[in-house]
Amino acid sequence: MDAIDEQIIAELTRNARISHAELGQRVRLSRNAVRQRVERLERQGHIGGYTIVRPSCGQERGTVAAHVLVYREDRMRGGEVLAALRRIPEVVSCDVLSGQFDLLVSVEAASLERVQGIWEQIAQMPGVRDTVTALALSRVVSRPRRP
């Protein structure tokens, strides 16, 4: 990633609906060059998707949030676990941790049963040694991420 890619990500973070033409003006590239860069950033995983954020007091009704702490068999060679987590649509974030556990996986699913299914899927992944799961009872702070 270069400085222009960083600018593109910053602009998309501010407004994901910006047109490629307008984005091109802001980063001084053609519309076509911006489109190609955005597609490359998506393929490389720098842009993981576009999302709708609804203002609410706490969690949206009908959504169950959970956090799964994952301990891998081999933290340095556990890339297949990360690749498998990327393929689960309900995984909204996955952070690599220091300390006892390797990963913090945040899940938002339509039901408790689906959270259980995801937990079982994660626990059975080759390379996963152990998991600890916590259900979110309520959301006290919910802020959009700043660039």
Side-chain angles (χ1 to χ4, degrees):
M1 270 189 26
D2 63 13
I4 294 173
D5 290 339
E6 294 287 350
Q7 288 178 312
I8 288 171
I9 289 174
E11 291 295 333
L12 288 172
T13 300
R14 279 190 277 286
N15 178 7
R17 295 186 65 193
I18 191 171
S19 70
H20 287 151
E22 186 176 343
L23 185 54
Q25 288 176 346
R26 292 188 184 186
V27 299
R28 295 184 174 90
L29 289 176
S30 71
R31 177 185 55 81
N32 208 26
V34 166
R35 180 188 53 79
Q36 291 173 349
R37 281 181 177 255
V38 168
E39 288 174 355
R40 179 179 46 79
L41 290 167
E42 289 172 344
R43 281 192 312 273
Q44 292 175 341
H46 297 291
I47 298 174
Y50 300 88
T51 193
I52 295 171
V53 177
R54 295 181 184 167
S56 64
C57 299
Q59 265 177 251
E60 182 182 332
R61 259 189 240 158
T63 301
V64 179
H67 304 284
V68 183
L69 290 161
V70 177
Y71 187 81
R72 293 177 289 176
E73 294 286 341
D74 187 341
R75 358 182 79 151
M76 302 312 288
R77 293 185 195 95
E80 56 279 347
V81 174
L82 298 176
L85 290 169
R86 285 186 185 101
R87 292 190 295 270
I88 301 172
E90 294 89 349
V91 171
V92 295
S93 68
C94 176
D95 297 314
V96 177
L97 305 176
S98 63
Q100 180 181 2
F101 286 90
D102 299 320
L103 306 172
L104 172 61
V105 181
S106 296
V107 174
E108 291 182 5
S111 68
L112 189 56
E113 291 78 17
R114 180 62 185 138
V115 169
Q116 180 179 354
I118 294 166
W119 167 76
E120 289 171 353
Q121 186 178 352
I122 292 171
Q124 293 173 3
M125 286 178 184
V128 171
R129 181 181 296 177
D130 196 10
T131 64
V132 174
T133 303
L135 293 175
L137 301 176
S138 65
R139 183 164 292 153
V140 178
V141 176
S142 181
R143 295 185 186 116
R145 292 188 179 180
R146 297 173 193 233

